[in-house]
Amino acid sequence: MDRRRHRLIPHAIVLGLLTGLITVGFHLAVDMGDAFRNRLIALAHQSAVNSPWIVLGFTLLAVIVSAGLVICYAPEASGSGIPHLKAILLDNRPFRWLRVLIVKFLSTLIGSTGGLVLGREGPSVHIGGAIGQGLTTLWPGKGSLDRSVLVAAGGGAGLTAAFNAPLSGLTFVLEELERRCSSLEFFAAAIACLTADMVCRAVLGQYPVFHFAVSGVPPLNQLIAFIPLGILSAVFGSLFTYFLLWGQKLTERSFCSKWFWWITLAMMITITAWQKPELLGSGQSLINSMLDSEQLTLQQVLLFIALRFVLTIGSASSGAAGGIFMPILALGALLGWGVGMATQLLLPELNVDSRLFAVIGMAAYFCAVVKAPLTGMVLIIEMTGNYALILPLFVACFTALLITDWLGSPPVYEALLEHDLRKERTQ
């Protein structure tokens, strides 16, 4: 075992370097696409005639091209790609790694630029796994076991580079990708995640993804207020999984239904872009604006939750590449903010901070949808740089997990994988 570990070190380092570099480039490209979309919307507002039609035409074209790339060249690159990666690790599918990498990068970039409410984090995991497969293919002398090790480690490195969160990437490998993980997988994933994180921090800086400072440890008398947040996260998380699977089935009925979905989605994105462009995209800027200075009313929060919920389901079911990782966190932040405001109104003596509830809500909602509580908790701690959140995170996340189990809602990535396998068996 020691010899095999030593043999894996150079491969894991190269895997981390390549995944970090490509993921950072992916990050910067998506940011440039978001800036381009915002400039286009601003120019359309200044136009005297036909201004909304400019945005509608651009959005519809982006949706068609983004989904068309996937349909024509790499159907396995649709969505986040995490279910496909899980199938690869179960030896259920071949891995056309180079095609997936290229189509994933381009489709996510085009769709995100067009305003699809999808994130780059799931695709970063898929891209990292593709790079792991590529190393297995191109590096001489690799066996079948090393293939699984490097694909899983690449997925963890992709998540690490997407969030600047090495422990989260490693936990995701252990909890979601390789649940029967041996010490060999753990060793390779740890090296790849740390290497990818160093690349990411060297290029993008060492600041946490979300800007939120906790003034001391939340008092114990506030912990009970996080139980309702966990319950609501479980209910809305179960609904999210149900409607996501429903959307997948609906768009697969015929090509006409897919076109109808694309046109309807483009119209909804255009209306949102015209009124509230900050609600488009992955949701990271929306979360940061909430945690920095945004003061939302309860009515605004409810409206934003409804819009983001529908747009996320619509975007994820469009057939384009793009993840639901960050959109899930954005929905959780909005839900947490709403629960915090309701707690302020009903129990003013607790003196709660809605921003704290927004942060805890991200982990609770993630836990309800993905059912990976350790990844959710570690991710939020790393993304905020606040270890004082551990107690409210435990209360909200495990409440969400217990209620979601009671409701019978499956983990979203496993449900999507089962849906894909069922579809293949019927074809």
Side-chain angles (χ1 to χ4, degrees), residues 28 105 126 150 218 221 236 239 242 252 254 283 302 321 328 333 378 396:
L28 296 175
F105 192 104
H126 206 190
L150 291 180
N221 66 340
F236 283 100
L239 287 173
Y242 172 81
E252 291 164 359
S254 67
L302 294 175
I328 287 173
V378 172

Side-chain angles (χ1 to χ4, degrees), residues 35-302:
F36 176 81
R37 181 185 67 247
N38 291 332
R39 285 197 301 270
L40 180 67
I41 294 170
L43 288 172
H45 270 289
Q46 296 171 8
S47 174
V49 185
N50 296 330
S51 46
W53 298 105
I54 297 173
V55 180
L56 177 60
F58 174 74
T59 300
L60 182 58
L61 179 63
V63 172
I64 293 171
V65 173
S66 179
L69 277 172
V70 172
I71 293 170
C72 294
Y73 296 105
E76 65 269 38
S78 65
S80 69
I82 293 175
H84 178 248
L85 209 58
K86 290 168 72 71
I88 295 296
L89 294 171
L90 293 171
D91 288 328
N92 282 336
R93 292 182 181 176
F95 201 168
R96 301 185 295 177
W97 65 273
L98 184 58
R99 182 175 297 206
V100 165
L101 194 158
I102 295 172
V103 171
K104 199 79 181 185
F105 192 104
L106 293 176
S107 177
T108 304
L109 175 59
I110 294 168
S112 176
T113 303
L116 289 180
V117 180
L118 295 172
R120 55 179 172 78
E121 295 75 24
S124 297
V125 174
H126 206 190
I127 286 172
I131 296 171
Q133 174 69 47
L135 281 181
T136 303
T137 303
L138 300 177
W139 205 304
K142 304 306 296 173
S144 60
L145 177 61
D146 289 335
R147 171 186 185 268
S148 174
V149 169
L150 291 180
V151 168
L159 186 67
T160 293
F163 284 118
N164 256 15
L167 290 179
S168 301
L170 183 57
T171 307
F172 188 72
V173 172
L174 300 177
E175 195 172 31
E176 187 65 24
L177 292 183
E178 279 281 21
R179 296 192 174 185
R180 294 165 294 181
C181 191
S182 69
S183 60
L184 199 63
E185 278 96 345
F186 181 86
F187 179 76
I191 293 176
C193 288
L194 290 173
T195 306
D197 188 57
M198 285 189 286
V199 173
C200 187
R201 291 174 185 269
V203 178
L204 301 177
Q206 302 203 50
Y207 302 103
V209 174
F210 297 130
H211 315 135
F212 175 66
V214 177
S215 55
V217 180
L220 293 178
N221 66 340
Q222 283 190 11
L223 292 181
I224 192 172
F226 294 102
I227 295 178
L229 176 57
I231 295 172
L232 286 174
S233 295
V235 172
F236 283 100
S238 299
L239 287 173
F240 181 88
T241 301
Y242 172 81
F243 281 109
L244 181 60
L245 293 173
W246 171 81
Q248 299 279 326
K249 295 173 185 176
L250 188 64
T251 55
E252 291 164 359
R253 289 182 179 176
S254 67
F255 203 67
C256 290
S257 65
K258 195 176 290 291
W259 270 97
F260 176 77
W261 192 277
W262 290 344
I263 294 170
T264 304
L265 177 61
M267 292 174 65
M268 293 180 63
I269 290 174
T270 301
I271 294 170
T272 305
W274 203 249
Q275 301 296 329
K276 284 286 182 182
E278 64 271 21
L279 292 181
L280 299 179
S282 66
Q284 181 175 332
S285 59
L286 174 65
I287 296 171
N288 267 326
S289 68
M290 290 169 58
L291 299 181
D292 281 341
S293 58
E294 187 81 19
Q295 293 298 320
L296 301 175
T297 65
L298 194 54
Q299 292 80 2
Q300 285 177 313
V301 168
L302 294 175

